[in-house]
Amino acid sequence: MMDVRPVAPEFAVAPQIQPTDMTGLAAQGFTVVICNRPDGEEKHQPDAATMRAAAEAAGLAYHHIPVSGGNFPASAVDAFRAVRTEADGSVLAYCRTGTRSITLDTLANPDGLSTSDLLEQAQDAGYDLSSIADRLEN
């Protein structure tokens, strides 16, 4: 069963999902899926091409914005923000645990929230992002 964690009205994060989850995500009202994992991060992880094919077969738009090693380059944050702000419907972002996805969304801040609101929103979804508070302030 998928561990989908709502973050904002049209945004949620999840740990690794499977190709077979795509039809269920579409049935839940998602229209866009973002993968934040690089291919080959773990041995049995489905690659981006497999996930894209499954998403598109379920009628979902798919975006691959991989980040790793705790690095969140401006290009990835900008790409994430663009997908979120241009999405027509609900977006689900996933990675191994959901932490990279919620971090990217928090750094992108597509809803223009204050730092305290961003951190509270992440906390409500089960993620402690207090370690990036200084980066959010700058």
Side-chain angles (χ1 to χ4, degrees), residues 2 8 12 24 26 30 71 77-78 90 92 97 103 109 114 120-122:
M2 291 178 289
F30 289 99
N71 295 316
V77 173
D78 292 345
S90 294
L92 175 82
T97 66
T103 302
N109 195 9
S114 68
E120 182 178 337
Q121 183 174 262

Side-chain angles (χ1 to χ4, degrees), residues 64-134:
H64 189 215
I65 306 170
V67 294
S68 62
N71 295 316
F72 297 92
S75 59
V77 173
D78 292 345
F80 196 95
R81 182 183 305 109
V83 172
R84 283 272 280 120
T85 57
E86 296 168 11
D88 184 23
S90 294
V91 176
L92 175 82
Y94 75 93
C95 57
R96 189 178 67 78
T97 66
T99 302
R100 279 175 279 187
S101 296
I102 189 77
T103 302
L104 276 166
D105 190 67
T106 300
L107 292 170
N109 195 9
D111 300 319
L113 301 177
S114 68
T115 297
S116 61
D117 287 345
L118 287 166
L119 295 175
E120 182 178 337
Q121 183 174 262
Q123 188 68 46
D124 289 347
Y127 298 94
D128 178 6
L129 297 185
S130 58
S131 64
I132 66 164
D134 288 343

Side-chain angles (χ1 to χ4, degrees), residues 2-26:
M2 291 178 289
D3 178 16
V4 174
R5 299 179 186 193
V7 176
E10 291 197 333
F11 180 68
V13 298
Q16 178 67 56
I17 60 174
Q18 297 300 315
T20 55
D21 294 327
M22 295 300 183
T23 55
L25 291 170

